[in-house]
Amino acid sequence: MAAIIGAVLLFAMIFSIGTGYFLFVNNANTFYVKGLSDRTSAMQAQLSEILQVASAAGSGNNHLTLTVTNNAAISTNITGVLLIDPNKVLSTFGVGLSSNTTPALPIGLSQGGSATIDTALLVVAGTYTIKVLTQRGNAFSATYPPSPVALAEQALSSGAFGDLFVAFHSFTWYKVVTCNVNQKCLQKQANGFAIPATSTTSPIAFSISVTNLNSAQQNITLDQYTLMTQFVPPVPGFGGGSANSYAWYIVSNSSTVLSAYSKFTLFYNRPVTLVFASSSAGTLIPYAPVILSGTITYGLLVSHGCQGIKQSNCQSTTDNYGQVSPYVSTLYF
């Protein structure tokens, strides 16, 4: 009897140990497979991160700023910034590091999102080496000033004309109305590439966003001779006719209440919305026989003023900048 009981206990011990070992191995294998899958997914996400880092000197305070754009199909988190200045001094920014930025890190960027980070470091002459770190362990590099190749790629990819990048998608038209007793205000209407013919006999105005992408990163001050023109050619087959041209002049940098123009400066890599209006040329009359089928007009953005000169020193005797940027034909229907 004792032998039988001993055999049963031995069998139970062997079974328990065997079962436990089997469960241990199975669980370990499950964790291994899950860990491998998670690691593979993390590596794929890491390889999918694409950040564009643009450096600039902030307007007004001359702080070194970074504009980071997420060009990937996934979200990302910026956790740190490493920076070596021209004197080979390392500055670190981020959670748990010696200093932080404005806004504070970490910063989350969704697909297509961007953020401008102020390091609070005053820009001095020389080259800065910059690395932007992400939560997934990637590091995206940049320099300040940007290299000529980076500037050329940025200008070409954005469709810059000379020093100015014209954001065509921002082209907007407005009705000019009387507000606040005797002030002139803008009523935003729609995309500037298609305007109903019934609206063109009323005073209208335009706005468009531009960015200074001067290769030397010099500021551009626009003066009162900056304007937007539109040329309406004669239409063959409809009795000839004569060509017409119209002009809208740069006014206050606002899309609400119009006021007299005062000089302002386009800082490097900072988008600005320009507003154009005119009391004498605020209407546009399409070529009458083809109003229903549309009238094509050809536009030019004429910018004029000073480049690389302080705004206070930009006078008619110091003007050294002028550029004509064509923009896509406008259709009035």
Side-chain angles (χ1 to χ4, degrees):
M1 180 64 71
I4 295 173
I5 294 175
V8 171
L9 292 175
L10 179 61
F11 175 79
M13 292 173 61
I14 294 173
F15 179 80
S16 298
I17 294 172
T19 302
Y21 179 75
F22 173 80
L23 292 175
F24 170 76
V25 171
N26 186 64
N27 286 339
N29 185 65
T30 299
F31 285 125
Y32 171 76
V33 172
K34 184 178 185 304
L36 183 61
S37 176
D38 291 345
R39 180 57 181 166
T40 301
S41 298
M43 290 179 64
Q44 290 177 341
Q46 184 181 36
L47 293 172
S48 298
E49 278 191 328
I50 305 174
L51 296 184
Q52 179 184 354
V53 183
S55 59
S59 60
N61 54 26
N62 203 35
H63 288 176
L64 179 61
T65 63
L66 308 174
T67 299
V68 184
T69 303
N70 181 12
N71 292 327
I74 58 175
S75 302
T76 190
N77 281 313
I78 302 170
T79 57
V81 174
L82 305 180
L83 189 148
I84 300 177
D85 68 16
N87 297 318
K88 307 304 179 184
V89 176
L90 172 65
S91 298
T92 58
F93 305 85
V95 178
L97 298 177
S98 59
S99 55
N100 218 314
T101 59
T102 303
L105 300 175
I107 297 174
L109 293 180
S110 59
Q111 179 183 357
S114 65
T116 298
I117 301 171
D118 186 349
T119 66
L121 293 179
L122 290 175
V123 174
V124 297
T127 300
Y128 291 79
T129 302
I130 304 159
K131 288 188 180 295
V132 174
L133 309 180
T134 70
Q135 187 177 25
R136 295 185 176 95
N138 281 321
F140 296 89
S141 302
T143 61
Y144 179 84
S147 67
V149 173
L151 288 170
E153 289 178 348
Q154 184 177 4
L156 290 173
S157 63
S158 60
F161 290 94
D163 292 310
L164 294 185
F165 156 51
V166 182
F168 298 113
H169 67 275
S170 68
F171 190 38
T172 304
W173 77 280
Y174 305 80
K175 287 184 178 180
V176 180
V177 298
T178 301
C179 63
N180 301 328
V181 182
N182 58 0
Q183 287 184 314
K184 295 296 183 181
C185 295
L186 297 179
Q187 287 185 349
K188 184 176 179 180
Q189 299 299 306
N191 189 297
F193 295 113
I195 302 177
T198 54
S199 301
T200 59
T201 55
S202 301
I204 60 177
F206 295 95
S207 73
I208 195 165
S209 176
V210 303
T211 304
N212 172 15
L213 292 181
N214 173 260
S215 59
Q217 301 185 30
Q218 293 180 331
N219 296 336
I220 296 174
T221 298
L222 299 178
D223 62 18
Q224 68 273 23
Y225 300 108
T226 298
L227 54 87
M228 176 179 288
T229 65
Q230 295 194 14
F231 171 73
V232 184
V235 180
F238 289 93
S242 59
N244 295 310
S245 63
Y246 303 85
W248 285 261
Y249 303 92
I250 191 169
V251 294
S252 58
N253 185 30
S254 168
S255 57
T256 52
V257 178
L258 298 181
S259 59
Y261 175 74
S262 57
K263 293 177 183 176
F264 64 88
T265 299
L266 303 178
F267 295 99
Y268 174 75
N269 204 24
R270 293 293 182 92
V272 173
T273 298
L274 305 182
V275 181
F276 297 87
S278 175
S279 58
S280 60
T283 61
L284 176 61
I285 303 175
Y287 189 68
V290 290
I291 287 179
L292 296 179
S293 60
T295 297
I296 298 295
T297 70
Y298 305 99
L300 297 173
L301 174 60
V302 181
S303 50
H304 188 270
C306 301
Q307 179 174 298
I309 297 176
K310 289 184 179 180
Q311 179 174 309
S312 57
N313 295 335
C314 182
Q315 308 294 332
S316 58
T317 56
T318 59
D319 284 338
N320 64 348
Y321 168 78
Q323 178 180 314
V324 177
S325 304
Y327 61 92
V328 178
S329 302
T330 304
L331 172 64
Y332 297 84
F333 61 90

